[in-house]
Amino acid sequence: VRSCYDEGKRTAETLTMDYHRGAGVEVRIARIFNTYGPRMCIDDGRVVSNFVAQALRKEPLTVYGDGKQTRSFQFVSDLVEGLMRLMEGEHVGPFNLGNPGEFTMMELAQVVQETIDPNAKIEFRPNTEDDPHKRKPDISKAKELLGWEPVIPLRKGLPMMVSDFRQRIFGDHKDGSSDMSSTA
């Protein structure tokens, strides 16, 4: 079921390297892992945005399977910094850009509960076919060659995303959030 997704990424990397080797095209390859933050599409189907939107709307948080599968989550500004270092550097890659800190889906649901609504309910549903049990990036190459690693932990980044989602869903500024589109 997931083969088109997995093989599509492999094909893109292969073609990129073929152009690099055969035609001398300057390229960079980043393998981007789960990223979250303000301005994400609210209903994009990604687990962090799903949980945040569900909790804000007072809907149950949907956990697939037993909730023991793990993922890692990087804040968007960490990804941007990694991509900038990759693009400005001399190394082609591939580089894993992600946060190696792992959370089970249940732990993520609990962090969202703590951040938004301690009374939010969790609803279990059958797991999707071919769902990987573990996803954790090895960022040692990015650390060594790009001098990059993520710096914003989930518990610090999530409230910034929640403030943005709350404002866009309800149009309010609860928790002292400000209009994220105004920058100085």
Side-chain angles (χ1 to χ4, degrees):
V1 172
R2 290 182 44 89
S3 64
C4 61
Y5 176 74
D6 297 335
E7 295 304 321
K9 291 191 298 186
R10 285 173 34 104
T11 301
E13 284 187 17
T14 300
L15 290 172
T16 299
M17 287 306 296
D18 284 347
Y19 276 97
H20 176 64
R21 284 188 213 102
V25 175
E26 187 176 346
V27 301
R28 302 292 185 269
I29 298 174
R31 293 176 178 162
I32 300 172
F33 285 73
N34 289 338
T35 307
Y36 71 95
R39 299 187 181 131
M40 287 183 71
C41 293
I42 291 171
D43 295 311
D44 66 5
R46 297 171 194 269
V47 68
V48 180
S49 49
N50 280 354
F51 282 180
V52 169
Q54 288 170 333
L56 288 171
R57 292 173 176 152
K58 305 291 186 196
E59 298 169 356
L61 307 184
T62 306
V63 173
Y64 292 92
D66 60 9
K68 293 180 183 172
Q69 62 274 39
T70 67
R71 300 293 182 268
S72 60
F73 305 102
Q74 73 180 324
F75 193 69
V76 64
S77 62
D78 285 334
L79 172 62
V80 170
E81 178 65 25
L83 289 171
M84 288 173 52
R85 289 188 188 201
L86 173 60
M87 296 306 292
E88 292 169 355
E90 60 191 44
H91 301 285
V92 171
F95 288 95
N96 291 337
L97 299 179
N99 190 325
E102 278 183 291
F103 288 84
T104 66
M105 294 299 92
M106 279 303 300
E107 289 169 334
L108 176 62
Q110 290 164 347
V111 171
V112 170
Q113 284 175 315
E114 292 167 15
T115 305
I116 300 173
D117 179 3
N119 298 315
K121 304 290 182 226
I122 295 174
E123 180 178 281
F124 290 89
R125 293 202 183 147
N127 205 356
T128 56
E129 193 175 341
D130 290 345
D131 183 35
H133 187 71
K134 178 177 183 160
R135 281 206 204 126
K136 176 184 176 178
D138 175 354
I139 64 167
S140 56
K141 186 174 173 183
K143 279 179 162 181
E144 177 186 343
L145 298 176
L146 303 178
W148 174 87
E149 65 182 306
V151 296
I152 299 181
L154 181 64
R155 290 178 194 280
K156 182 178 176 191
L158 189 64
M160 292 186 266
M161 180 181 178
V162 169
S163 293
D164 172 63
F165 271 39
R166 180 177 279 121
Q167 196 280 323
R168 289 192 289 143
I169 291 172
F170 301 114
D172 66 29
H173 295 283
K174 188 176 175 182
D175 295 334
S177 67
S178 61
D179 182 358
M180 301 199 76
S181 64
S182 62
T183 57

